[in-house]
Amino acid sequence: MSCKETFATLRIFSKKISPEIIGRRLNITATEMIPLDQESHNRSRQKYNFWSWSTEGKIDSCENLKHLSKLIELLQDKENLLSDLRKDDCSMDVFCYWVSTGNEGLFLDLETMKSFLKFGLEIHWDIYFDNEV
């Protein structure tokens, strides 16, 4: 096995819609919500509301595809809701954290790629090697 730890997070950023409203519109309870704060020292917090739902601590697996499959399940039949949020200037993506312990790498199977294409979501990985963590 080449993975020590992994999780996947759906992230939504908005300049005008609060995190609470994003969650209500999706009918999903966030794992993290951070409202826009113009006094923050973090530039992204000064510009955006932040809403997210993560598999961290919810799935006991080092298979990244299992975490992505959980997001697909969560978003099933919500393509129009995601599209409506985009029309309201929300930006969104899927962020994956992955810690490697070996030479094997990540991959996406065709069905996973099709699902995220259907949702209009890009996937990004933050990759670390065990000796860096």
Side-chain angles (χ1 to χ4, degrees):
M1 178 181 304
S2 67
C3 177
K4 179 179 178 179
E5 180 183 4
T6 189
F7 59 86
T9 305
L10 170 64
R11 307 184 308 175
I12 301 178
F13 304 88
S14 176
K15 290 184 178 186
K16 59 184 180 179
I17 301 174
S18 74
E20 294 83 7
I21 292 174
I22 291 170
R24 269 187 260 150
R25 287 176 64 174
L26 289 174
N27 195 27
I28 299 171
T29 301
T31 55
E32 184 176 17
M33 295 189 297
I34 303 172
L36 184 143
D37 178 4
Q38 294 180 340
E39 302 300 317
S40 174
H41 295 290
N42 181 317
R43 282 192 179 170
S44 65
R45 303 288 187 252
Q46 293 173 2
K47 296 180 181 180
Y48 300 101
N49 290 295
F50 176 75
W51 180 97
S52 70
W53 189 90
S54 179
T55 63
E56 185 176 15
K58 292 179 176 57
I59 297 175
D60 186 24
S61 175
C62 284
E63 293 182 48
N64 194 239
L65 284 178
K66 287 188 179 183
H67 292 263
L68 292 171
S69 292
K70 184 65 177 176
L71 288 180
I72 292 167
E73 179 185 316
L74 180 78
L75 294 173
Q76 198 64 41
D77 300 322
K78 295 186 186 291
E79 297 90 346
N80 290 336
L81 299 175
L82 294 171
S83 178
D84 290 345
L85 285 170
R86 276 190 203 89
K87 289 175 187 171
D88 286 332
D89 294 325
C90 290
S91 60
M92 56 194 77
D93 64 14
V94 172
F95 171 87
C96 296
Y97 174 81
W98 194 74
V99 179
S100 175
T101 59
N103 293 330
E104 293 179 35
L106 297 159
F107 77 96
L108 292 176
D109 62 24
L110 189 55
E111 290 307 310
T112 301
M113 286 190 278
K114 286 179 183 178
S115 293
F116 283 104
L117 179 62
K118 177 178 71 174
F119 298 132
L121 292 168
E122 294 180 350
I123 303 173
H124 303 265
W125 279 270
D126 198 7
I127 299 172
Y128 297 90
F129 295 93
D130 192 33
N131 61 349
E132 295 176 349
V133 180

